[in-house]
């Protein structure tokens, strides 16, 4: 009876959903993820779904310092203030979000400076705690991945198709990235993907295809 309205944000099959309740002067956001039981604490999977622009430490620091000065800002405002590309700002904010020092406010669509713990989380330990990412890296390093199509649709979604040479066979796969480079749709013939879809994060092949695209 207190909430004036409730907005539901759905990202797609196997991806988290968010509920924003409007309580007048304040709003309450509840995020539910199907990965909670198994993988939530392993940052790897979230990491892999988010933008991965390579941003150097100094630039990251500039973005974080600017955000700390204003406490909350949109990526577009930050990119204007700092004269940096939106992709770079997003990459820096994603890195700090993964480190638990910045959060995204879904209701206001802004990033906020918010230190989750007194000591920053140990990113090096969290980052590569995922066997599938190691597998994907091996495919890339052995040049087994071929990107066959890269198509941007009118909605700004990027569709990637490709194939990967496995030991005994060649597989075809495809994935879609939304405007903010988050994985929104994917298909791979492997068992992992057939069984889990994106519920436990993408399979090593989809990861490899994505890595090949940003190379
Ligand atoms: Zn796969």
């Amino acid at each position: 009876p207190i909430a004036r309205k409730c907005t539901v944000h759905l990202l797609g099959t196997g991806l988290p959903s968010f509920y924003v309740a409007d309580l007048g002067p304040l709003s309450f956001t509840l995020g539910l993820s199907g990965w909670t039981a198994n993988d939530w604490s392993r940052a790897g999977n979230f990491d892999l779904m988010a933008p991965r622009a390579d941003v150097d430490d100094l630039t990251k620091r500039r973005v974080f310092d600017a955000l700390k000065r204003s406490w909350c800002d949109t990526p577009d405002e930050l990119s204007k203030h700092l004269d940096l590309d939106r992709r770079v700002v997003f990459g820096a904010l994603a890195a700090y979000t993964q480190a638990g020092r910045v959060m995204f406010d879904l209701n206001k669509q802004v990033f906020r400076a918010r230190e989750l713990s007194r000591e920053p989380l140990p990113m090096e330990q969290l980052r590569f705690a995922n066997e599938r990412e190691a597998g994907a890296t091996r495919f890339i390093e052995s040049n087994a991945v071929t990107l066959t199509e890269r198509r941007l649709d009118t909605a700004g979604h990027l569709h990637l198709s490709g194939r990967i040479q496995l030991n005994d066979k060649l597989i075809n796969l495809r994935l879609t990235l939304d405007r903010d480079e988050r994985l929104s749709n994917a298909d791979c013939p492997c068992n992992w993907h057939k069984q889990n879809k994106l519920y436990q994060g993408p399979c090593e092949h989809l990861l490899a295809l994505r890595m090949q695209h940003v190379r």
Side-chain angles (χ1 to χ4, degrees):
I2 305 167
R4 293 179 184 176
K5 68 171 182 173
C6 194
T7 315
V8 181
H9 299 257
L10 302 172
L11 302 178
T13 310
L15 299 175
S17 50
F18 296 92
Y19 302 81
V20 182
D22 178 2
L23 307 175
L26 59 95
S27 77
F28 174 74
T29 303
L30 173 68
L32 298 176
S33 159
W35 307 339
T36 306
N38 32 44
D39 277 314
W40 204 92
S41 57
R42 276 187 244 148
N45 283 326
F46 281 118
D47 189 39
L48 300 169
M49 312 276 289
R52 267 244 163 145
D54 250 334
V55 185
D56 64 86
D57 287 345
L58 189 71
T59 308
K60 269 192 232 162
R61 189 79 227 173
R62 276 182 65 206
V63 174
F64 186 56
D65 287 344
L67 185 64
K68 276 213 291 199
R69 275 196 296 276
S70 59
W71 288 108
C72 70
D73 236 330
T74 64
D76 289 331
E77 284 167 29
L78 284 170
S79 109
K80 223 186 302 167
H81 285 328
L82 299 169
D83 198 20
L84 288 170
D85 190 87
R86 194 170 175 273
R87 273 174 54 94
V88 172
V89 172
F90 246 108
L93 291 171
Y96 277 102
T97 303
Q98 285 152 15
R101 306 181 69 183
V102 165
M103 63 171 281
F104 182 62
D105 182 336
L106 190 66
N107 188 41
K108 295 266 193 306
Q109 299 282 316
V110 294
F111 281 87
R112 295 180 187 280
R114 185 239 17 204
E115 306 268 1
L116 192 64
S117 59
R118 200 151 51 95
E119 304 298 327
L121 301 176
M123 285 313 289
E124 287 311 309
Q125 283 175 35
L126 292 172
R127 186 141 199 165
F128 295 112
N130 188 305
E131 280 171 35
R132 280 166 290 135
E133 180 161 5
T137 307
R138 279 197 298 277
F139 290 132
I140 294 288
E141 284 170 356
S142 60
N143 291 318
V145 189
T146 313
L147 196 61
T148 53
E149 195 196 5
R150 197 191 310 228
R151 179 174 57 84
L152 194 65
D153 69 19
T154 48
H157 294 208
L158 183 65
H159 302 265
L160 302 178
S161 304
R163 49 175 183 261
I164 298 181
Q165 181 65 54
L166 305 184
N167 289 337
D168 49 345
K169 62 181 176 212
L170 192 67
I171 60 165
N172 287 294
L173 64 167
R174 51 167 199 81
L175 63 84
T176 307
L177 300 174
D178 72 14
R179 277 190 68 223
D180 293 325
E181 298 198 21
R182 284 177 296 232
L183 193 55
S184 63
N185 199 354
D187 196 30
C188 179
C190 75
N191 282 335
W192 167 275
H193 187 75
K194 266 190 228 146
Q195 282 174 15
N196 300 303
K197 302 291 174 203
L198 298 174
Y199 287 106
Q200 307 213 25
C203 68
E204 57 188 0
H205 314 108
L206 292 167
L207 291 175
L209 183 62
R210 185 191 179 131
M211 286 158 82
Q212 182 69 21
H213 150 65
V214 293
R215 274 187 116 194

